[in-house]
Structure formats: C-alpha cells, structure tokens
Amino acid sequence: MSAGLANKIFDTMTEFANYGFNKSHAAAYGVVSYQTAYLKAHYPAEFMCAQISSEIGNFDKLPGFVAEAGDMGLTVLPPDVNHSLDRFVPEEGNIRFGLAGIKSVGAGAAQAIVAERKANGPFTGLIDFC
C-alpha cells in the first residue's frame, strides 16, 4: 500500500479514537446500568443479597448496603447457625444475614458451620454447636 493511503487510514483511525472508544464504553455502561436497575427493581432481595455478599470482608461498606436493603423495604434477618449460609441469601422475600458477614468469622468457619449442619441436621443448642 502506498504511504499516502496508509497515512489516510491512520488519520481516519486517529479521528475515530477521539470519540469511538468513549462512545463504546458509554453504550456498554448503559446496558449494564439498565440490567442492574432491572434486577434491583424486579428481584430486590436476590439483587441485594448478591450486592451485600460481594462486600463480605469489607466491613466499611457492608453496613451501608444492609441499610440500603432496609430502605428498599427488605428485612435483613439476623444470622442464625440453623438457617444462614456463608453468604447472604434471600429467604421468603427477606435477606438472611450470611455467617461470613459476621466480623472475625471468615468464610472458612462459616462454610464449616453450614457443612456440619447439612451433614448432621440443625444444632440443638450451644453445646451441640460447639
């Protein structure tokens, strides 16, 4: 190809790069925003469970998302060794607090509690739990 044609193609690409990259990102963010809004509006408990669970371990953000769930009319049920999983889960239109969301518990301990409960049934008391 001639140098003139190569320069013309390059100039066209440079011109497109000034707005095309931003335009494609804006379109992608628009799609993600629409999908997020749809899920939050039509599946609020499930959406907030996923949102809150994504912040397990970030104890600065976790309370804000729990408060947001309350503002949306969702009840955040307390953690319960006989009902909670390691992550936040929807429960009858509410949100069950995930065991791993308790400060200093951690995912490993929470998963061990859930596995023990699944293997041997609900805990009958504190001694059984210990």
Side-chain angles (χ1 to χ4, degrees), residues 45 66 69-70 72-78 89 91-97:
V66 170
M72 293 171 62
L74 300 168
T75 300
V76 179
L77 304 169
V89 293
E91 185 176 303
E92 298 177 9
N94 298 308
I95 296 173
R96 176 62 70 179
F97 204 96

Side-chain angles (χ1 to χ4, degrees), residues 30-96:
V31 170
V32 170
S33 296
Y34 175 81
Q35 291 170 334
T36 301
Y38 179 87
L39 292 171
K40 190 172 183 178
H42 295 282
Y43 301 96
E46 291 82 355
F47 176 84
M48 289 308 296
C49 285
Q51 183 71 47
I52 298 169
S53 290
S54 74
E55 295 298 338
I56 285 177
N58 186 347
F59 295 102
D60 293 330
K61 286 190 175 183
L62 203 64
F65 286 119
V66 170
E68 183 179 346
D71 292 345
M72 293 171 62
L74 300 168
T75 300
V76 179
L77 304 169
D80 184 322
V81 294
N82 283 327
H83 296 287
S84 295
L85 297 180
D86 57 326
R87 301 177 66 79
F88 290 74
V89 293
E91 185 176 303
E92 298 177 9
N94 298 308
I95 296 173
R96 176 62 70 179

Side-chain angles (χ1 to χ4, degrees), residues 94-108:
N94 298 308
I95 296 173
R96 176 62 70 179
F97 204 96
L99 296 174
I102 302 169
K103 194 168 189 170
S104 299
V105 170

